[in-house]
């Protein structure tokens, strides 16, 4: 798996990992941050959760030697209940992973021809294809504008409705590219990028789940325990910033988000948009 965890050193430093500590990796993904936590201090225990069963299965194999120190849980972090557990630290690395983007059949990226899927949890029924091919034009435009911050949302929604059904990621990306002005078509990012982001957020209810998680997670920390959240776009970062600031039980440790240094962004371009925010449970 070609997966490089972002802002790993900064996250580990910010968490101040303690020996025999209990940590929650709310988005274990393909194990990068969990490995870093385990390597930082002795006798650390981790609850590792993810809604992607492929990620859980991979980590169970990757971290089999740490089996007694890790408890896996498959599901959305918004639905997790720690029962009587209290954590020394909680982390979440939001959004889609590089492995999910680079696996064509998952349908997250228009760089590969694949069915329009985009489900992080493949046990759920709603897919991007259902949204694109059956939802009404106004609803599509609202999704693209709200979750993709797409200025041409209405024009793109109209084009989609006029030319559907769409079966593949590349078909949809092509249709979007052909309905935007020429200067927009050859801009810094592909004109379908924001629409694909919006569809992915809608399919997986990402912002709704994040709101719930941010409301619940501070209550799972021990006094003095820390939470670190890495986000990749402005909608997520805004939610994280306001939620940490408005919490009555947290003290924010990062006035401004921590961002990747040049060396990391050269090795891993995905790190360019990453923002880390940290807070500590008031003792």
């Amino acid at each position: 798996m070609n997966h490089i965890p972002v802002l790993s050193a900064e996250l580990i430093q910010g968490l101040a990992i303690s020996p025999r500590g209990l940590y929650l990796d709310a988005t274990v993904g393909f194990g990068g941050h969990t490995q870093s936590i385990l390597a930082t201090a002795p006798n650390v225990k981790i609850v590792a959760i993810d809604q992607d069963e492929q990620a859980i299965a991979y980590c169970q194999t990757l971290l089999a030697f740490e089996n007694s120190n890790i408890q896996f849980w498959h599901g959305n972090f918004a639905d997790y209940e720690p029962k009587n557990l209290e954590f020394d630290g909680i982390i979440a690395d939001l959004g889609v992973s590089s492995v999910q983007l680079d696996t064509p059949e998952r349908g997250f990226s228009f760089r590969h021809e694949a069915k329009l899927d985009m489900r992080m949890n493949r046990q759920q029924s709603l897919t991007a294809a259902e949204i694109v091919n059956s939802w009404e034009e106004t609803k599509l435009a609202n999704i693209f504008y709200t979750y993709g911050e797409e200025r041409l949302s209405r024009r793109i929604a109209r084009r989609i409705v006029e030319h559907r059904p769409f079966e593949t990621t590349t078909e949809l990306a092509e249709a979007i590219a052909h309905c935007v002005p020429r200067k927009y078509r050859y801009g810094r990012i592909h004109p379908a990028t924001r629409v694909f982001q919006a569809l992915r957020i809608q399919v997986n209810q990402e912002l709704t789940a994040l709101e719930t998680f941010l409301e619940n997670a501070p209550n799972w920390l021990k006094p003095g325990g820390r939470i670190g959240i890495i986000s990749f776009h402005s909608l997520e970062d805004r939610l994280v910033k306001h939620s940490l600031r408005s919490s009555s039980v947290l003290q924010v440790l990062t006035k401004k988000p921590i961002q990747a240094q040049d060396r990391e962004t050269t090795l891993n371009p995905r790190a360019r948009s990453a923002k880390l925010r940290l807070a500590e449970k008031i003792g």
Side-chain angles (χ1 to χ4, degrees), residues 203-214:
V203 167
N204 298 290
Q205 290 289 296
E206 289 177 37
L207 296 180
T208 307
L210 178 58
E211 277 185 43
T212 302
F213 172 72
L214 289 169

Side-chain angles (χ1 to χ4, degrees), residues 53 86 182:
E53 65 270 32
E86 277 193 320
R182 183 170 286 273

Side-chain angles (χ1 to χ4, degrees), residues 110-129:
F110 48 79
R111 287 186 288 116
H112 317 281
E113 183 173 10
K115 289 192 181 299
L116 283 161
D117 192 326
M118 301 194 193
R119 291 172 298 169
M120 290 181 179
N121 184 346
R122 287 187 282 188
Q123 292 177 7
Q124 76 172 49
S125 58
L126 180 66
T127 65

Side-chain angles (χ1 to χ4, degrees), residues 125-143:
S125 58
L126 180 66
T127 65
E130 184 178 334
I131 292 171
V132 165
N133 292 321
S134 66
W135 287 23
E136 61 183 39
E137 185 180 319
T138 308
K139 204 170 176 185
L140 289 176
N142 286 341
I143 290 167

